[in-house]
Amino acid sequence: MNGLRGGASPGAGPGAGPGIGPGVGPGVGPGSSIIAFLRGRLNSRVTVETTAGTIFGTLIAIGEDYVQIAEPNGSIVIIPLRSFLSIA
């Protein structure tokens, strides 16, 4: 026996997995408002400030923890929601 007796398995705790912040995913808390806002902007032009810089283009897809934006030059950019700083 490994010393664990029932209960949760090791490694899974608060903040495990993707999301907007520790323990927050698209269906819970602040992340759900971001997803709702983005759904209303699908196929519209958006500007997203991220930790890596500004992305401008057409919002073409919304995943569980990312979005895809088609830039004017034809490039497709995948942005994790955890990288978002602001959306306009």
Side-chain angles (χ1 to χ4, degrees), residues 2-87:
N2 64 6
L4 296 176
R5 297 177 190 217
S9 61
I20 302 300
V24 178
V28 180
S32 61
S33 60
I34 292 171
I35 295 294
F37 175 78
L38 291 171
R39 284 189 181 132
R41 302 293 306 264
L42 196 58
N43 297 313
S44 298
R45 292 188 182 255
V46 295
T47 301
V48 179
E49 296 286 334
T50 73
T51 55
T54 303
I55 304 294
F56 171 78
T58 302
L59 179 62
I60 59 173
I62 304 166
E64 185 176 315
D65 61 350
Y66 68 91
V67 298
Q68 290 183 359
I69 295 177
E71 294 183 305
N73 67 4
S75 297
I76 304 294
V77 181
I78 299 172
I79 307 170
L81 293 179
R82 69 180 174 270
S83 298
F84 277 38
L85 299 175
S86 68
I87 309 162

